[in-house]
Amino acid sequence: MIQVARSGKQNIAEGSAASSTWRETELKLTNVAKASLQELLIDYEDYQRVRNLEQWSVNSTKAMQTRKACKKHTDSAYFC
């Protein structure tokens, strides 16, 4: 799951860099990133299900609080 997350992030970054020269490359890399991150979501949901962990709905209080914290703390060291 870690590698998929890194790959998705890298494809977004590469697509962004390519946007100034090749629109087609930007779209391709963005679509690859979207597919990779969708796979990551499915893998993580499986991880939660196998371990009987709670799955939050998109608009649950916990999910909204988490999104708010992530917007406030953009340095990854905060989450370690």
Side-chain angles (χ1 to χ4, degrees), residues 17-55:
S19 68
S20 63
T21 55
W22 296 101
R23 180 79 172 142
E24 184 178 329
T25 302
E26 175 190 19
L27 291 174
K28 180 180 178 182
L29 289 169
T30 301
N31 284 334
V32 169
K34 183 178 178 181
S36 292
L37 295 172
Q38 184 62 36
E39 287 179 33
L40 176 60
L41 176 61
I42 292 167
D43 287 346
Y44 190 66
E45 288 172 345
D46 288 344
Y47 175 90
Q48 289 177 304
R49 196 172 13 266
V50 167
R51 288 160 181 78
N52 294 318
L53 299 173
E54 179 183 2
Q55 292 185 351

Side-chain angles (χ1 to χ4, degrees), residues 57-71:
S57 68
V58 174
N59 294 318
S60 72
T61 301
K62 290 179 183 178
M64 290 189 289
Q65 289 172 339
T66 301
R67 283 194 295 275
K68 185 177 179 181
C70 290
K71 285 180 185 177

